[in-house]
Amino acid sequence: EPSPELKLEIKKMIIETLNITEVKPEDVDDEKPLFGSDNALTLDSVDAIEIIMALQRTYGIRIADQSLARYVIRSVNSIAEFILTEQEKNNL
């Protein structure tokens, strides 16, 4: 189970990467889709690419497959779970 610290770190990374000034990390819901009108962040496909690149840089993970990328970045929770899974794989 991803820690609250990891989820907060992910939110901060997204906000910093996209230079979002009007949303605070605690305003972003872990469960809600990052792409869609019901979350504090209103992101588009260009944002998705930037988030994926930032995740790869920050956490040393690779997301090569486009459909996997869509699945991974659908919410803060899904990003956190993917990072944990990848880190566990790399530690074996």
Side-chain angles (χ1 to χ4, degrees), residues 27-85:
D27 297 336
V28 180
D29 190 301
D30 293 344
E31 284 291 323
K32 286 190 177 161
L34 289 172
F35 299 85
S37 56
D38 57 345
N39 204 321
L41 300 169
T42 49
L43 305 181
D44 61 25
S45 56
V46 176
D47 297 331
I49 294 164
E50 287 191 49
I51 292 168
I52 290 165
M53 288 173 22
L55 286 170
Q56 292 181 151
R57 239 187 348 263
T58 306
Y59 297 99
I61 55 177
R62 305 266 358 108
I63 309 171
D65 182 81
Q66 199 173 8
S67 54
L68 174 64
R70 271 197 206 102
Y71 175 80
V72 169
I73 64 168
R74 67 185 197 283
S75 71
V76 171
N77 282 343
S78 60
I79 293 171
E81 286 163 15
F82 182 77
I83 290 168
L84 279 188
T85 304

Side-chain angles (χ1 to χ4, degrees), residues 2 9 11 21 23 34 80:
E9 198 177 278
K11 293 179 206 181
T21 54
V23 178
L34 289 172

